[in-house]
Structure formats: structure tokens, C-alpha cells
Amino acid sequence: MTETISITRTKKSKIDQVDFDNLAFGTVFSDHMFICDYKDGEWQTPEIVPYGPMEFDPSAKVFHYGQAVFEGMKAYKDEDGKIWMFRPDQNFERINKSSERLAMPAFPEEFFFEGISELLKLEKDWIKTGIENSLYLRPFVIATENGVSASPSNSYRFMIICAPAQAYYSGEVRVVFADTYSRSADGGVGFAKAAGNYAAQFYPTELAKKKGYQQVIWTDAKSHEYLEEAGTMNVFFRVGDTLITAPTSDRILDGVTRKSIIELAESKGIKVEVRPVSVAEILKAARSGDLKEIFGAGTAATINPIAGFGYKEDDFELPKLEDSYASRLKKDLKEIQANLAEDPFGWRYEVK
Ligand code: COI
């Protein structure tokens, strides 16, 4: 398959201009990007080209109907210079599930993996060693057909861009439990990484930010009684010594970090319950002191502890634990991801 990817290298790398010790998440992009167009019912020959602006007709459907899906993945480099990814098969499956829901064509597996491998070989200097460093990969697909009739596009562009990354959030994260707005509904697209799922959260999240919260924890659209996921992460609650997280559904993203944490925590002897989590039980546990932790889990954020939360008129602070589940699981997960520890689960994937 390699011979099918045409590669045009940049004439001048930007890497010397990048301060790798001070990266704001997703603001600096590497030298190259992967592109593959779909037309006449087929994915065309993939290309890797210098990163840069692209031209589209103003009527392209992605601009009007948001027919677009994406993924988030990370590449790590170990001390021997080997490059690793974390469960990329899961992202591959999910992008095609998302595409199916948005009436978009599936992307071929061999193009996905060959594309990542060729791109990462070119961008290997952009992946820094060390447990806090990674290269964030953003695969995405957009509808490129010209014309504003409200129907699925007949042409698409699949792309992968790469951003060197450290922490997603800088500083403490406080969240508010949603009681008015909703992220997703039964039968909707909540499970998909559809671009519009994120756009729809921006306004309520901006309102929350004005009140001092960085994120919203979304509740079920019908009753607002059950906690589902945060805008950029799935969420876990530690009540006593038990970790609780909502089951995935057509409303909730089937997060790769989420499912890995469930397995990892269970393997460490932590009791995990995957079941609906009610606002009422979390408020009760917060008041009684049984609520020990809330943390978010996602590719970009890895595991991010929540410092406190708000619900209607009330605000709650979470205890600052020395040896939290969040910090233990984050360390264990990151060590597996960066090839600093054994990987009993077979999650690590060497990019060659
Ligand atoms: C990721 O964790 O990779 C995501 O896609 C969340 C994103 C909105 C930053």
C-alpha cells in the first residue's frame, strides 16, 4: 500500500520555531498533513503534503450542514526512538461509526494505518520523549461537494493533521451539572464524534465559563437527572472506594480512554460500576463526604481531576487527595502509552 501514498515534503521545516516546553493544546501544527479525497464512489490515492491552507468552494456542504466527523489520537516516542500509539484500532472503528451516522462513506483500514505510519515517519522529530509529551493526531472527514441542497455530499476529504501536545487543561477544572441545555438525545448523534456535537456545546459552556466553570457535565436530555459526559471527556465519580461511570449509549461517546480506565482500574482491584449515575446520589455523596473524586477521561485530556462542581445554586469543592485514583490511574495509563511500563492489555501499537 505504501507505494500508493504520494509524498511531497516541505521545503522548510517549522520545527525550530516551536517552544516544545510551552505548548497551548492544539495551536501548533507539524510540517505535513495526510489527505485523501473521495469522489466517484471511491477513495482516491492518498497524499502527504506540506501543512497549509486549502481552498474550498463557499457552497461546500461542510460549511452549511456540518457534515463532518473527527477523531483524537496520540503518538508517543520512547527513549529508544520507537513510536507508539494507543489502541488506534478503536479510533479507526469509531471514525467509521461516526461517518455512517452522518451518511458519509467508510474510510479504508489500510489507508488509515498506512497514512498514520507514513505521516509519523516524516514527523518523528515532532514527537518528544518524556511522559508529558505526545503528538496529537486529528483525523477528520469533511463533505466537499459544492451546492447547498440539504442532502449528503457525494465527495469528501479525509485528513490527518498533527499537533505536539502536553496538558489539555492548564490549571484546575471546575464543572457545572447541566440542568437546562442538553448535548444529545436518544436516537441522536451523541455517540458519534460529529463536529456539530462540539459546536452545540460552545454556547452553554461559554455561559458556564462566565460563572467560573471550565466545562459542563451533561445530563440526560429527558430529565436532567443522570450525569452523562463532559464536553471533552467522559466522566468518573469516586464514591467511597468505588468508581462509577455512565454506560455508553447512543447519547454518550464510547471513549477509548474511558474503556481503558475501566479495565485498568479493575485490574488494580478497584471496584468499578458502569451504571446510570444520578445527580441526586452525587449531591448526597458530596454532602456526606463520600464523594472523593470526580475526573474526566479523554484522549486529549488523558485523566483530568475535577476540583469542584456546581449544581443550580450550590457549589461543592472536592477533597484534595494525596493518592487519588485519578493520579494513580493517570500514571499507570501514561506509562503504558509511552512504553515506560508493561502493557498486559496489548493496547500499545508500534508505528513502523
Ligand atoms: C479528544 O480527546 O481527542 C477529543 O476529541 C476532545 C477534543 C474536543 C479535544
Side-chain angles (χ1 to χ4, degrees):
M1 195 56 66
T2 313
E3 74 282 359
T4 62
I5 300 183
S6 104
I7 299 179
T8 310
R9 285 168 180 267
T10 182
K11 292 203 172 61
K12 189 163 173 16
S13 173
K14 301 172 291 197
I15 199 163
D16 292 343
Q17 299 158 29
V18 177
D19 178 359
F20 282 89
D21 294 325
N22 289 296
L23 292 164
F25 183 86
T27 53
V28 173
F29 293 91
S30 69
D31 286 328
H32 300 91
M33 58 188 185
F34 174 89
I35 296 184
C36 187
D37 284 329
Y38 180 90
K39 62 176 185 199
D40 304 327
E42 272 181 345
W43 291 99
Q44 309 292 307
T45 305
E47 281 179 90
I48 293 176
V49 295
Y51 182 94
M54 297 176 295
E55 210 169 72
F56 294 100
D57 194 273
S59 73
K61 291 197 187 226
V62 64
F63 300 135
H64 303 272
Y65 304 117
Q67 204 188 3
V69 299
F70 73 96
E71 269 304 319
M73 312 169 78
K74 278 179 175 168
Y76 308 86
K77 192 193 271 174
D78 69 17
E79 293 298 334
D80 299 327
K82 288 187 180 163
I83 299 170
W84 301 92
M85 294 198 67
F86 187 69
R87 309 186 76 178
D89 53 314
Q90 301 289 317
N91 301 92
F92 170 70
E93 279 175 26
R94 193 171 60 187
I95 200 165
N96 281 342
K97 271 191 202 150
S98 301
S99 290
E100 183 184 17
R101 181 61 181 82
L102 277 274
M104 300 162 81
F107 194 63
E109 187 169 8
E110 60 280 20
F111 282 5
F112 185 84
F113 284 95
E114 200 64 37
I116 287 177
S117 152
E118 292 302 312
L119 188 59
L120 290 182
K121 272 190 242 161
L122 272 182
E123 306 301 58
K124 62 181 185 314
D125 292 343
W126 288 83
I127 317 172
K128 299 298 173 193
T129 53
I131 196 149
E132 294 309 326
N133 295 311
S134 64
L135 187 67
Y136 183 76
L137 271 66
R138 172 53 65 90
F140 62 107
V141 195
I142 53 170
T144 52
E145 186 189 345
N146 302 340
V148 295
S149 69
S151 55
S153 179
N154 61 21
S155 62
Y156 296 90
R157 178 163 287 183
F158 176 100
M159 303 189 58
I160 305 174
I161 54 175
C162 310
Q166 291 170 317
Y168 186 80
Y169 291 104
S170 55
E172 289 192 336
V173 176
R174 291 194 150 64
V175 296
V176 63
F177 293 174
D179 65 351
T180 309
Y181 293 98
S182 301
R183 172 186 174 275
S184 63
D186 290 339
V189 293
F191 72 89
K193 272 187 99 69
N197 280 347
Y198 294 79
Q201 297 178 64
F202 291 164
Y203 175 68
T205 307
E206 286 304 301
L207 296 181
K209 280 186 186 158
K210 285 191 188 134
K211 295 185 178 165
Y213 308 107
Q214 284 69 43
Q215 278 278 301
V216 177
I217 294 188
W218 298 103
T219 47
D220 69 291
K222 253 189 223 152
S223 68
H224 294 296
E225 282 174 15
Y226 292 93
L227 294 155
E228 302 212 310
E229 69 172 274
T232 55
M233 308 178 281
N234 294 106
V235 275
F236 286 81
F237 302 85
R238 174 179 170 189
V239 177
D241 285 335
T242 303
L243 265 188
I244 314 170
T245 192
T248 52
S249 67
D250 54 1
R251 299 189 305 269
I252 300 184
L253 188 83
D254 183 12
V256 181
T257 312
R258 173 192 173 279
K259 67 176 91 170
S260 307
I261 288 170
I262 294 171
E263 270 193 72
L264 189 59
E266 282 175 341
S267 78
K268 302 278 171 193
I270 295 173
K271 185 170 172 224
V272 183
E273 291 179 5
V274 179
R275 60 162 175 82
V277 193
S278 73
V279 173
E281 73 174 295
I282 296 304
L283 294 179
K284 187 168 167 235
R287 290 191 175 110
S288 70
D290 286 342
L291 181 67
K292 305 286 184 218
E293 298 176 50
I294 304 179
F295 59 84
T299 298
T302 319
I303 293 181
N304 207 98
I306 305 297
F309 70 92
Y311 179 66
K312 297 193 193 265
E313 302 311 316
D314 292 327
D315 263 306
F316 299 84
E317 279 298 299
L318 285 152
K320 292 192 178 17
L321 303 181
E322 277 294 311
D323 183 29
S324 64
Y325 282 180
S327 60
R328 275 156 60 184
L329 293 167
K330 182 172 180 176
K331 178 171 177 292
D332 291 343
L333 186 68
K334 283 183 150 236
E335 286 182 352
I336 293 176
Q337 290 173 328
N339 193 27
L340 293 166
E342 286 302 308
D343 173 18
F345 308 96
W347 288 336
R348 214 161 37 220
Y349 168 92
E350 189 177 352
V351 180
K352 292 185 186 155

mmCIF file with all atom_site columns, all heavy atoms in Angstrom, residues 193-207:
data_model
loop_
_atom_site.group_PDB
_atom_site.id
_atom_site.type_symbol
_atom_site.label_atom_id
_atom_site.label_alt_id
_atom_site.label_comp_id
_atom_site.label_asym_id
_atom_site.label_entity_id
_atom_site.label_seq_id
_atom_site.pdbx_PDB_ins_code
_atom_site.Cartn_x
_atom_site.Cartn_y
_atom_site.Cartn_z
_atom_site.occupancy
_atom_site.B_iso_or_equiv
_atom_site.pdbx_formal_charge
_atom_site.auth_seq_id
_atom_site.auth_comp_id
_atom_site.auth_asym_id
_atom_site.auth_atom_id
_atom_site.pdbx_PDB_model_num
ATOM 1   N N   . LYS A 1 193 ? -18.412 11.141 16.963 1.00 0.00 ? 193 LYS A N   1
ATOM 2   C CA  . LYS A 1 193 ? -17.576 12.336 17.085 1.00 0.00 ? 193 LYS A CA  1
ATOM 3   C C   . LYS A 1 193 ? -17.900 13.218 15.885 1.00 0.00 ? 193 LYS A C   1
ATOM 4   O O   . LYS A 1 193 ? -17.120 13.388 14.950 1.00 0.00 ? 193 LYS A O   1
ATOM 5   C CB  . LYS A 1 193 ? -16.087 11.972 17.157 1.00 0.00 ? 193 LYS A CB  1
ATOM 6   C CG  . LYS A 1 193 ? -15.666 11.704 18.599 1.00 0.00 ? 193 LYS A CG  1
ATOM 7   C CD  . LYS A 1 193 ? -14.197 11.494 18.764 1.00 0.00 ? 193 LYS A CD  1
ATOM 8   C CE  . LYS A 1 193 ? -13.454 12.735 19.238 1.00 0.00 ? 193 LYS A CE  1
ATOM 9   N NZ  . LYS A 1 193 ? -13.749 13.127 20.616 1.00 0.00 ? 193 LYS A NZ  1
ATOM 10  N N   . ALA A 1 194 ? -19.107 13.743 15.941 1.00 0.00 ? 194 ALA A N   1
ATOM 11  C CA  . ALA A 1 194 ? -19.579 14.643 14.894 1.00 0.00 ? 194 ALA A CA  1
ATOM 12  C C   . ALA A 1 194 ? -19.167 16.054 15.285 1.00 0.00 ? 194 ALA A C   1
ATOM 13  O O   . ALA A 1 194 ? -19.322 16.444 16.449 1.00 0.00 ? 194 ALA A O   1
ATOM 14  C CB  . ALA A 1 194 ? -21.098 14.551 14.793 1.00 0.00 ? 194 ALA A CB  1
ATOM 15  N N   . ALA A 1 195 ? -18.646 16.814 14.330 1.00 0.00 ? 195 ALA A N   1
ATOM 16  C CA  . ALA A 1 195 ? -18.168 18.167 14.633 1.00 0.00 ? 195 ALA A CA  1
ATOM 17  C C   . ALA A 1 195 ? -19.257 18.982 15.336 1.00 0.00 ? 195 ALA A C   1
ATOM 18  O O   . ALA A 1 195 ? -18.988 19.687 16.317 1.00 0.00 ? 195 ALA A O   1
ATOM 19  C CB  . ALA A 1 195 ? -17.727 18.848 13.344 1.00 0.00 ? 195 ALA A CB  1
ATOM 20  N N   . GLY A 1 196 ? -20.493 18.853 14.861 1.00 0.00 ? 196 GLY A N   1
ATOM 21  C CA  . GLY A 1 196 ? -21.593 19.645 15.405 1.00 0.00 ? 196 GLY A CA  1
ATOM 22  C C   . GLY A 1 196 ? -21.911 19.355 16.859 1.00 0.00 ? 196 GLY A C   1
ATOM 23  O O   . GLY A 1 196 ? -22.462 20.213 17.556 1.00 0.00 ? 196 GLY A O   1
ATOM 24  N N   . ASN A 1 197 ? -21.554 18.164 17.354 1.00 0.00 ? 197 ASN A N   1
ATOM 25  C CA  . ASN A 1 197 ? -21.763 17.874 18.779 1.00 0.00 ? 197 ASN A CA  1
ATOM 26  C C   . ASN A 1 197 ? -20.984 18.847 19.646 1.00 0.00 ? 197 ASN A C   1
ATOM 27  O O   . ASN A 1 197 ? -21.385 19.161 20.766 1.00 0.00 ? 197 ASN A O   1
ATOM 28  C CB  . ASN A 1 197 ? -21.256 16.463 19.125 1.00 0.00 ? 197 ASN A CB  1
ATOM 29  C CG  . ASN A 1 197 ? -22.232 15.387 18.743 1.00 0.00 ? 197 ASN A CG  1
ATOM 30  O OD1 . ASN A 1 197 ? -23.389 15.683 18.431 1.00 0.00 ? 197 ASN A OD1 1
ATOM 31  N ND2 . ASN A 1 197 ? -21.789 14.146 18.743 1.00 0.00 ? 197 ASN A ND2 1
ATOM 32  N N   . TYR A 1 198 ? -19.834 19.246 19.135 1.00 0.00 ? 198 TYR A N   1
ATOM 33  C CA  . TYR A 1 198 ? -18.960 20.128 19.905 1.00 0.00 ? 198 TYR A CA  1
ATOM 34  C C   . TYR A 1 198 ? -19.426 21.571 19.763 1.00 0.00 ? 198 TYR A C   1
ATOM 35  O O   . TYR A 1 198 ? -19.525 22.306 20.747 1.00 0.00 ? 198 TYR A O   1
ATOM 36  C CB  . TYR A 1 198 ? -17.499 19.905 19.474 1.00 0.00 ? 198 TYR A CB  1
ATOM 37  C CG  . TYR A 1 198 ? -17.070 18.503 19.865 1.00 0.00 ? 198 TYR A CG  1
ATOM 38  C CD1 . TYR A 1 198 ? -17.436 17.396 19.103 1.00 0.00 ? 198 TYR A CD1 1
ATOM 39  C CD2 . TYR A 1 198 ? -16.391 18.278 21.051 1.00 0.00 ? 198 TYR A CD2 1
ATOM 40  C CE1 . TYR A 1 198 ? -17.118 16.106 19.497 1.00 0.00 ? 198 TYR A CE1 1
ATOM 41  C CE2 . TYR A 1 198 ? -16.061 16.989 21.458 1.00 0.00 ? 198 TYR A CE2 1
ATOM 42  C CZ  . TYR A 1 198 ? -16.438 15.907 20.674 1.00 0.00 ? 198 TYR A CZ  1
ATOM 43  O OH  . TYR A 1 198 ? -16.131 14.639 21.088 1.00 0.00 ? 198 TYR A OH  1
ATOM 44  N N   . ALA A 1 199 ? -19.769 21.967 18.531 1.00 0.00 ? 199 ALA A N   1
ATOM 45  C CA  . ALA A 1 199 ? -20.255 23.336 18.306 1.00 0.00 ? 199 ALA A CA  1
ATOM 46  C C   . ALA A 1 199 ? -21.485 23.609 19.173 1.00 0.00 ? 199 ALA A C   1
ATOM 47  O O   . ALA A 1 199 ? -21.627 24.692 19.750 1.00 0.00 ? 199 ALA A O   1
ATOM 48  C CB  . ALA A 1 199 ? -20.592 23.540 16.834 1.00 0.00 ? 199 ALA A CB  1
ATOM 49  N N   . ALA A 1 200 ? -22.356 22.607 19.306 1.00 0.00 ? 200 ALA A N   1
ATOM 50  C CA  . ALA A 1 200 ? -23.598 22.796 20.054 1.00 0.00 ? 200 ALA A CA  1
ATOM 51  C C   . ALA A 1 200 ? -23.353 23.008 21.549 1.00 0.00 ? 200 ALA A C   1
ATOM 52  O O   . ALA A 1 200 ? -24.213 23.522 22.260 1.00 0.00 ? 200 ALA A O   1
ATOM 53  C CB  . ALA A 1 200 ? -24.515 21.591 19.839 1.00 0.00 ? 200 ALA A CB  1
ATOM 54  N N   . GLN A 1 201 ? -22.169 22.608 22.003 1.00 0.00 ? 201 GLN A N   1
ATOM 55  C CA  . GLN A 1 201 ? -21.872 22.793 23.437 1.00 0.00 ? 201 GLN A CA  1
ATOM 56  C C   . GLN A 1 201 ? -21.252 24.154 23.732 1.00 0.00 ? 201 GLN A C   1
ATOM 57  O O   . GLN A 1 201 ? -21.163 24.549 24.894 1.00 0.00 ? 201 GLN A O   1
ATOM 58  C CB  . GLN A 1 201 ? -20.849 21.756 23.890 1.00 0.00 ? 201 GLN A CB  1
ATOM 59  C CG  . GLN A 1 201 ? -21.320 20.330 23.778 1.00 0.00 ? 201 GLN A CG  1
ATOM 60  C CD  . GLN A 1 201 ? -20.224 19.381 24.210 1.00 0.00 ? 201 GLN A CD  1
ATOM 61  O OE1 . GLN A 1 201 ? -19.805 19.385 25.361 1.00 0.00 ? 201 GLN A OE1 1
ATOM 62  N NE2 . GLN A 1 201 ? -19.736 18.581 23.289 1.00 0.00 ? 201 GLN A NE2 1
ATOM 63  N N   . PHE A 1 202 ? -20.772 24.828 22.690 1.00 0.00 ? 202 PHE A N   1
ATOM 64  C CA  . PHE A 1 202 ? -19.977 26.037 22.946 1.00 0.00 ? 202 PHE A CA  1
ATOM 65  C C   . PHE A 1 202 ? -20.782 27.106 23.701 1.00 0.00 ? 202 PHE A C   1
ATOM 66  O O   . PHE A 1 202 ? -20.282 27.714 24.642 1.00 0.00 ? 202 PHE A O   1
ATOM 67  C CB  . PHE A 1 202 ? -19.416 26.622 21.644 1.00 0.00 ? 202 PHE A CB  1
ATOM 68  C CG  . PHE A 1 202 ? -18.350 25.770 20.979 1.00 0.00 ? 202 PHE A CG  1
ATOM 69  C CD1 . PHE A 1 202 ? -17.993 25.996 19.650 1.00 0.00 ? 202 PHE A CD1 1
ATOM 70  C CD2 . PHE A 1 202 ? -17.687 24.765 21.674 1.00 0.00 ? 202 PHE A CD2 1
ATOM 71  C CE1 . PHE A 1 202 ? -17.012 25.225 19.033 1.00 0.00 ? 202 PHE A CE1 1
ATOM 72  C CE2 . PHE A 1 202 ? -16.713 23.986 21.069 1.00 0.00 ? 202 PHE A CE2 1
ATOM 73  C CZ  . PHE A 1 202 ? -16.370 24.217 19.740 1.00 0.00 ? 202 PHE A CZ  1
ATOM 74  N N   . TYR A 1 203 ? -22.021 27.332 23.267 1.00 0.00 ? 203 TYR A N   1
ATOM 75  C CA  . TYR A 1 203 ? -22.786 28.421 23.902 1.00 0.00 ? 203 TYR A CA  1
ATOM 76  C C   . TYR A 1 203 ? -23.060 28.135 25.388 1.00 0.00 ? 203 TYR A C   1
ATOM 77  O O   . TYR A 1 203 ? -22.692 28.947 26.245 1.00 0.00 ? 203 TYR A O   1
ATOM 78  C CB  . TYR A 1 203 ? -24.073 28.692 23.110 1.00 0.00 ? 203 TYR A CB  1
ATOM 79  C CG  . TYR A 1 203 ? -24.958 29.713 23.771 1.00 0.00 ? 203 TYR A CG  1
ATOM 80  C CD1 . TYR A 1 203 ? -24.563 31.055 23.861 1.00 0.00 ? 203 TYR A CD1 1
ATOM 81  C CD2 . TYR A 1 203 ? -26.175 29.338 24.344 1.00 0.00 ? 203 TYR A CD2 1
ATOM 82  C CE1 . TYR A 1 203 ? -25.366 31.987 24.499 1.00 0.00 ? 203 TYR A CE1 1
ATOM 83  C CE2 . TYR A 1 203 ? -26.982 30.269 24.975 1.00 0.00 ? 203 TYR A CE2 1
ATOM 84  C CZ  . TYR A 1 203 ? -26.575 31.591 25.051 1.00 0.00 ? 203 TYR A CZ  1
ATOM 85  O OH  . TYR A 1 203 ? -27.360 32.512 25.688 1.00 0.00 ? 203 TYR A OH  1
ATOM 86  N N   . PRO A 1 204 ? -23.645 26.962 25.731 1.00 0.00 ? 204 PRO A N   1
ATOM 87  C CA  . PRO A 1 204 ? -23.838 26.701 27.163 1.00 0.00 ? 204 PRO A CA  1
ATOM 88  C C   . PRO A 1 204 ? -22.524 26.657 27.944 1.00 0.00 ? 204 PRO A C   1
ATOM 89  O O   . PRO A 1 204 ? -22.483 27.049 29.117 1.00 0.00 ? 204 PRO A O   1
ATOM 90  C CB  . PRO A 1 204 ? -24.545 25.338 27.215 1.00 0.00 ? 204 PRO A CB  1
ATOM 91  C CG  . PRO A 1 204 ? -24.861 24.948 25.828 1.00 0.00 ? 204 PRO A CG  1
ATOM 92  C CD  . PRO A 1 204 ? -24.275 25.937 24.880 1.00 0.00 ? 204 PRO A CD  1
ATOM 93  N N   . THR A 1 205 ? -21.450 26.204 27.294 1.00 0.00 ? 205 THR A N   1
ATOM 94  C CA  . THR A 1 205 ? -20.157 26.158 28.003 1.00 0.00 ? 205 THR A CA  1
ATOM 95  C C   . THR A 1 205 ? -19.632 27.581 28.238 1.00 0.00 ? 205 THR A C   1
ATOM 96  O O   . THR A 1 205 ? -19.041 27.869 29.282 1.00 0.00 ? 205 THR A O   1
ATOM 97  C CB  . THR A 1 205 ? -19.132 25.295 27.220 1.00 0.00 ? 205 THR A CB  1
ATOM 98  O OG1 . THR A 1 205 ? -19.729 24.019 26.972 1.00 0.00 ? 205 THR A OG1 1
ATOM 99  C CG2 . THR A 1 205 ? -17.854 25.084 28.004 1.00 0.00 ? 205 THR A CG2 1
ATOM 100 N N   . GLU A 1 206 ? -19.870 28.473 27.277 1.00 0.00 ? 206 GLU A N   1
ATOM 101 C CA  . GLU A 1 206 ? -19.477 29.881 27.492 1.00 0.00 ? 206 GLU A CA  1
ATOM 102 C C   . GLU A 1 206 ? -20.255 30.472 28.667 1.00 0.00 ? 206 GLU A C   1
ATOM 103 O O   . GLU A 1 206 ? -19.708 31.220 29.472 1.00 0.00 ? 206 GLU A O   1
ATOM 104 C CB  . GLU A 1 206 ? -19.731 30.720 26.230 1.00 0.00 ? 206 GLU A CB  1
ATOM 105 C CG  . GLU A 1 206 ? -18.727 30.468 25.118 1.00 0.00 ? 206 GLU A CG  1
ATOM 106 C CD  . GLU A 1 206 ? -17.291 30.683 25.556 1.00 0.00 ? 206 GLU A CD  1
ATOM 107 O OE1 . GLU A 1 206 ? -16.968 31.801 25.991 1.00 0.00 ? 206 GLU A OE1 1
ATOM 108 O OE2 . GLU A 1 206 ? -16.493 29.718 25.483 1.00 0.00 ? 206 GLU A OE2 1
ATOM 109 N N   . LEU A 1 207 ? -21.544 30.154 28.763 1.00 0.00 ? 207 LEU A N   1
ATOM 110 C CA  . LEU A 1 207 ? -22.348 30.648 29.897 1.00 0.00 ? 207 LEU A CA  1
ATOM 111 C C   . LEU A 1 207 ? -21.765 30.110 31.208 1.00 0.00 ? 207 LEU A C   1
ATOM 112 O O   . LEU A 1 207 ? -21.653 30.841 32.200 1.00 0.00 ? 207 LEU A O   1
ATOM 113 C CB  . LEU A 1 207 ? -23.814 30.193 29.771 1.00 0.00 ? 207 LEU A CB  1
ATOM 114 C CG  . LEU A 1 207 ? -24.618 30.730 28.580 1.00 0.00 ? 207 LEU A CG  1
ATOM 115 C CD1 . LEU A 1 207 ? -26.052 30.182 28.629 1.00 0.00 ? 207 LEU A CD1 1
ATOM 116 C CD2 . LEU A 1 207 ? -24.641 32.254 28.561 1.00 0.00 ? 207 LEU A CD2 1
#
